[in-house]
Amino acid sequence: MKQQLTSKSLAFLTLSAGISACNQPKTEKPTLPNIIFIMSDDHAYQAIGAYGDTISKLAPTPNIDQIAAEGMRFDRCLVTNSISGPSRACILTGKYSHKNGFLQNEATPFDGSQQTFPKLLQKAGYSTCIIGKWHLDSDPTGFSYWEIVPGQGDYYNPEFKDGKSNQTDTGYVTEIITQKSLKWMEEQKKTGNPFLLMVHHKAPHRNWQPGPRELGMYKDVNFPEPATLFDDYSNRGIAENEQDMTIDKTMLLVEDLKMWTDSTWKTTSSLGRMDNKQKEKWDSYYNPIIEKNKNSKLTGKDLVKWKYQRYMHDYLECVAAVDKSVGEILKYLKDNGLDKNTIVVYTSDQGFYLGEHGWFDKRFMFEQSYRTPLLIKWNGVIKPGSINNDMVSNIDFAETFLSAAGIEIPKDMQGENMIDILKGNTPKNWRKSHYYHYYEYPGYHSVKRHYGISSEQYKLMHYYYNIDQWELYDFKSDPLEMINLYDNPKYASIKNELHKQLKELMLKYGDSDSLAKSFLPENKK
Ligand code: SGN
Ligand code: CA
């Protein structure tokens, strides 16, 4: 059931703003909360201090952690389709990919005429803004102001477009996105409107180019290897065996790990963007590593281990800049008295593999890419330091923000309203299972199309394109998800129950095998 706008929800808003409801004259509008939605690109929860993994102990994220300390950490936030554009479309619309039409990156542009939560907020009087990565091919709609990086964007001296012109900004992308976001907030002081600000970082997306401030900060740190770095995919299906996203085979020494030679350096588009000063700094860090690597002649497992460390150094240095950005935004809110009535969200468009199963990238329904970090603070509403284990989803964000703003939730949105969870009261009928559907195959990294269901303990997945394979995982007894139990007779009744629940979820969300087939490249009109 969708939440309606009632006097009760308005009273909640008034109270949440720290104003006594009884002192309010009846006609006065409730104070609506501002919403700052900070989303990075490919930020694994394993690399966030608040989640406590070993990696993040060596590469801390104090500012992102501050959101958790002052608010709520979500330990099971699941995405509906683990890939950038589709995830963003699901977040904006509160609907699954087959409903919002954006199934995979760079296929068909997002239909910007459809309903999105920023549009509904804007209609209700919010100033709305997005800065940074958009990745939906069509121009943003529903924003009072937008300034985005075209496509994936660049790390150094990135181009931005705002619908009127394209311009190249000098500097590092994470810092520029932060400055533009702060500037826009400052300008809002004139309007007096509540605002929605979506700060969408490009970092820490492949090929993980650290900024000048962070370059080399982890060079002497040896990060712990995940237990499954040398996964050989036995006990798994064709999909895991045929993917193309391993550190071993897919990760490139030159483009990904920066082992450039002078002749290739200038011709590569992304690094070729640097000015002399930036290039000097870059070279002073990488040149000695390049030299050392030339003479090391590593092969096999030793090479994978070396690549993993190089990957972690660059990736986590990109994360460190994102963390600083969060710190600057939190400071701005505090300095301007906005921290009391602003919901601050930190998330990523999906999770990411940091060497688990030997992988980088995302797409699969295994935990590291299916689960995304989610931290929310809302002073006076969320109890500081809370931890939530409920299954929430990126299609829940839209309804939650609308609800926080006292806006009626459209009936065709497919998520759930998390407001009660934020207040510490999970509704009794909260979802106990979650539906997933990934479409981008054929495509980069060759992860086959699959849909599936995750319950609190099990996952059932169906790889259905050019193979027809089912997989079942018990991630309580097998948290590393290494054993496919689908044909194990002991799990027959669990399997049947999951099949039944999967059918129910597909029906509920209007997805089906025949609809999935209609999206296959050979069947597309
Ligand atoms: C690029 C990356 C891929 C990545 C996709 C999608 N290759 O193609 O590794 O999976 O983007 O990422 S790169 O060599 O160009 O970096 S997404 O986050 O935008 O969906
Ligand atoms: Ca991404």
Side-chain angles (χ1 to χ4, degrees):
M1 241 195 32
K2 307 292 175 193
Q3 185 186 305
Q4 306 295 319
L5 180 62
T6 59
S7 52
K8 211 167 135 200
S9 57
L10 286 174
F12 165 66
L13 285 168
T14 312
L15 284 167
S16 73
I19 303 159
S20 157
C22 8
N23 297 339
Q24 286 289 303
K26 271 203 174 100
T27 48
E28 200 167 307
K29 277 205 291 183
T31 310
L32 296 168
N34 305 308
I35 302 166
I36 301 191
F37 181 81
I38 309 172
M39 183 158 76
S40 47
D41 194 354
D42 295 354
H43 193 176
Y45 58 84
Q46 308 91 295
I48 291 183
Y51 284 104
D53 293 75
T54 5
I55 290 175
S56 62
K57 295 212 167 70
L58 299 167
T61 51
N63 296 301
I64 297 173
D65 301 352
Q66 189 63 30
I67 301 176
E70 288 180 34
M72 191 174 272
R73 181 187 94 195
F74 290 83
D75 284 1
R76 204 100 208 291
C77 178
L78 304 171
V79 297
T80 40
N81 183 356
S82 180
I83 184 84
S84 169
S87 165
R88 292 158 202 272
C90 291
I91 288 170
L92 289 169
T93 59
K95 292 178 185 171
Y96 275 91
S97 307
H98 62 277
K99 291 283 182 196
N100 66 46
F102 201 91
L103 286 89
Q104 61 185 76
N105 281 341
E106 290 131 28
T108 355
F110 179 69
D111 171 9
S113 69
Q114 66 185 300
Q115 167 186 282
T116 62
F117 85 82
K119 274 189 195 174
L120 295 170
L121 285 175
Q122 192 184 31
K123 221 170 114 194
Y126 269 70
S127 295
T128 55
C129 172
I130 178 161
I131 309 275
K133 184 166 170 180
W134 170 249
H135 210 202
L136 289 169
D137 304 336
S138 55
D139 282 349
T141 54
F143 293 97
S144 332
Y145 182 73
W146 57 268
E147 203 174 341
I148 57 169
V149 293
Q152 292 284 10
D154 285 299
Y155 276 105
Y156 277 84
N157 306 331
E159 194 180 327
F160 280 85
K161 61 177 212 168
D162 61 6
K164 288 177 215 87
S165 62
N166 287 27
Q167 69 171 78
T168 299
D169 282 66
T170 307
Y172 185 62
V173 70
T174 307
E175 292 162 28
I176 298 170
I177 289 171
T178 312
Q179 290 318 312
K180 287 183 190 294
S181 300
L182 295 175
K183 184 169 170 256
W184 185 81
M185 273 197 284
E186 188 63 22
E187 283 162 11
Q188 296 325 294
K189 286 183 175 163
K190 292 193 293 257
T191 73
N193 294 339
F195 64 79
L196 161 75
L197 169 61
M198 302 181 87
V199 183
H200 283 200
H201 286 293
K202 179 215 166 37
H205 191 269
R206 192 184 183 192
N207 66 348
W208 320 295
Q209 294 176 22
R213 289 196 295 186
E214 292 79 26
L215 197 60
M217 68 187 280
Y218 296 128
K219 69 179 186 330
D220 298 323
V221 183
N222 197 46
F223 288 97
E225 290 166 7
T228 58
L229 182 61
F230 295 103
D231 192 350
D232 64 1
Y233 317 115
S234 51
N235 303 312
R236 253 63 50 76
I238 295 173
E240 292 80 10
N241 279 278
E242 290 190 351
Q243 46 63 39
D244 178 23
M245 48 189 260
T246 60
I247 292 179
D248 183 10
K249 296 200 172 66
T250 318
M251 190 179 275
L252 303 167
L253 278 172
V254 174
E255 288 85 345
D256 289 322
L257 301 180
K258 334 292 187 307
M259 296 298 101
W260 303 92
T261 62
D262 264 352
S263 56
T264 53
W265 158 262
K266 286 202 181 77
T267 53
T268 54
S269 59
S270 68
L271 295 185
R273 303 182 67 82
M274 291 183 191
D275 61 28
N276 286 341
K277 205 168 150 228
Q278 292 163 336
K279 186 179 176 323
E280 241 169 63
K281 177 120 212 233
W282 181 277
D283 282 344
S284 70
Y285 173 52
Y286 285 107
N287 280 351
I289 308 176
I290 295 172
E291 273 315 302
K292 207 168 159 207
N293 178 53
K294 263 191 210 154
N295 305 321
S296 70
K297 315 235 177 332
L298 293 172
T299 55
K301 282 194 172 177
D302 290 338
L303 181 58
V304 171
K305 282 167 173 279
W306 179 87
K307 287 171 93 176
Y308 170 74
Q309 294 301 331
R310 272 271 54 255
Y311 166 36
M312 283 303 89
H313 289 172
D314 290 355
Y315 179 92
L316 293 166
E317 287 167 12
C318 290
V319 166
V322 173
D323 186 67
K324 277 185 196 148
S325 163
V326 170
E328 284 173 56
I329 288 173
L330 293 180
K331 183 173 183 308
Y332 178 88
L333 294 179
K334 202 160 202 171
D335 290 351
N336 289 277
L338 289 168
D339 55 330
K340 286 177 200 68
N341 194 33
T342 300
I343 303 172
V344 182
V345 179
Y346 185 82
T347 190
S348 169
D349 58 344
Q350 11 65 208
F352 209 66
Y353 296 97
L354 302 182
E356 297 86 358
H357 304 286
W359 294 335
F360 65 100
D361 216 65
K362 49 260 177 180
R363 301 159 195 270
F364 276 107
M365 212 185 148
F366 296 109
E367 210 64 359
Q368 291 82 10
S369 58
Y370 182 33
R371 223 185 103 183
T372 200
L374 178 66
L375 312 165
I376 308 182
K377 87 174 193 80
W378 187 2
N379 292 11
V381 176
I382 300 179
K383 192 168 156 250
S386 349
I387 294 173
N388 178 277
N389 286 304
D390 299 311
M391 270 189 207
V392 299
S393 175
N394 60 348
I395 49 165
D396 298 342
F397 300 167
E399 295 185 27
T400 307
F401 298 151
L402 293 179
S403 176
I407 298 168
E408 189 174 334
I409 296 169
K411 296 233 171 355
D412 58 350
M413 283 194 173
Q414 295 185 309
E416 306 289 334
N417 176 359
M418 290 162 58
I419 282 288
D420 287 338
I421 290 187
L422 298 181
K423 291 193 269 176
N425 309 314
T426 301
K428 276 210 176 65
N429 57 353
W430 190 257
R431 71 162 75 76
K432 294 278 181 285
S433 57
H434 184 259
Y435 180 61
Y436 180 79
H437 198 151
Y438 168 80
Y439 299 86
E440 196 175 293
Y441 182 91
Y444 289 117
H445 300 300
S446 293
V447 176
K448 308 224 188 269
R449 290 178 187 228
H450 58 292
Y451 59 76
I453 179 176
S454 176
S455 68
E456 279 159 355
Q457 183 165 359
Y458 303 102
K459 271 181 206 168
L460 177 72
M461 317 171 181
H462 185 210
Y463 296 90
Y464 62 87
Y465 182 44
N466 75 11
I467 52 171
D468 178 14
Q469 281 196 337
W470 289 85
E471 295 183 13
L472 172 69
Y473 294 89
D474 175 346
F475 58 99
K476 288 270 153 70
S477 71
D478 171 30
L480 303 179
E481 300 177 302
M482 297 287 278
I483 310 161
N484 174 16
L485 298 162
Y486 194 77
D487 294 322
N488 184 329
K490 281 195 199 136
Y491 284 81
S493 64
I494 288 162
K495 184 166 88 180
N496 290 343
E497 178 56 29
L498 286 167
H499 270 292
K500 194 178 127 242
Q501 287 181 20
L502 175 62
K503 268 200 194 125
E504 285 165 9
L505 283 188
M506 289 179 90
L507 199 66
K508 172 176 172 183
Y509 295 122
D511 202 2
S512 65
D513 283 308
S514 56
L515 187 61
K517 263 199 193 122
S518 74
F519 295 132
L520 295 180
E522 58 269 31
N523 296 335
K524 265 175 85 178
K525 278 164 229 136

